[in-house]
Amino acid sequence: MSASTIFNQKIRDLGDSEQIAAINCNTNCVVTAGAGSGKTMVLSYRFIRLIVEKRCHVDEILTLTFTRLAAAEMYTRIQKELHNLTDDEDIEEELKLFTKATITTIDAFCHRIVASD
C-alpha cells in the first residue's frame, strides 16, 4: 500500500468530521479549540498530508503554536508519523530535510524575523 493510502485511512479512522475537514483543508488554516480537543494532532496530520500528497517539502511549511511544549509535541508526532511511512522514497528524502522544518512558537518565529532584519 502507498503512503498516501495508509495515511488517508488513518485520517478517515478519526471519525470526527470537523477534524477531518481541518486536516484536508487546502488553504491556510487557523485551528482553535479547547484544551485536549486534538489541535496538535490536527496540525500534525495537516503537515503530514501536505508531505504525503507531495504538495510541498518539509522546509516549506510554517507550523506555529503558542507554547514550546505544543511545538515540541508537534515536531515529535510529525517526525514519528513520517518514519512510519518510510517505505516511500520521497518521504524518506523529506525526513532527511526534517531538521529544516519550521515548527515553532509564534513568539520564536517573530523573534527570528526581527533578529534577521
Side-chain angles (χ1 to χ4, degrees), residues 32-84:
T32 59
S37 60
K39 293 180 300 293
T40 301
M41 182 272 303
V42 166
L43 290 173
S44 298
Y45 277 19
R46 221 174 120 72
F47 186 108
I48 296 162
R49 183 183 68 86
L50 293 171
I51 301 305
V52 168
E53 293 179 357
K54 298 172 179 50
R55 292 177 177 255
C56 52
H57 300 287
V58 295
D59 59 342
E60 298 172 334
I61 302 171
L62 174 61
T63 305
L64 300 176
T65 188
F66 287 104
T67 68
R68 287 187 300 250
L69 183 64
E73 177 68 22
M74 269 194 281
Y75 187 94
T76 302
R77 284 186 192 193
I78 293 167
Q79 190 175 43
K80 181 181 174 184
E81 288 292 334
L82 289 175
H83 272 291
N84 290 338

Side-chain angles (χ1 to χ4, degrees), residues 3 79-93 95:
Q79 190 175 43
K80 181 181 174 184
E81 288 292 334
L82 289 175
H83 272 291
N84 290 338
L85 301 170
T86 54
D87 290 345
D88 184 307
E89 289 179 14
D90 292 329
I91 291 177
E92 198 167 327
E93 289 300 312
L95 274 168

Side-chain angles (χ1 to χ4, degrees), residues 7-9 17 20 38 43 50 61 72 95 98 107 110 112:
F7 189 69
N8 285 328
Q9 183 59 49
S17 61
I20 293 169
L43 290 173
L50 293 171
I61 302 171
L95 274 168
F98 196 70
D107 291 346
C110 290
R112 186 185 317 173

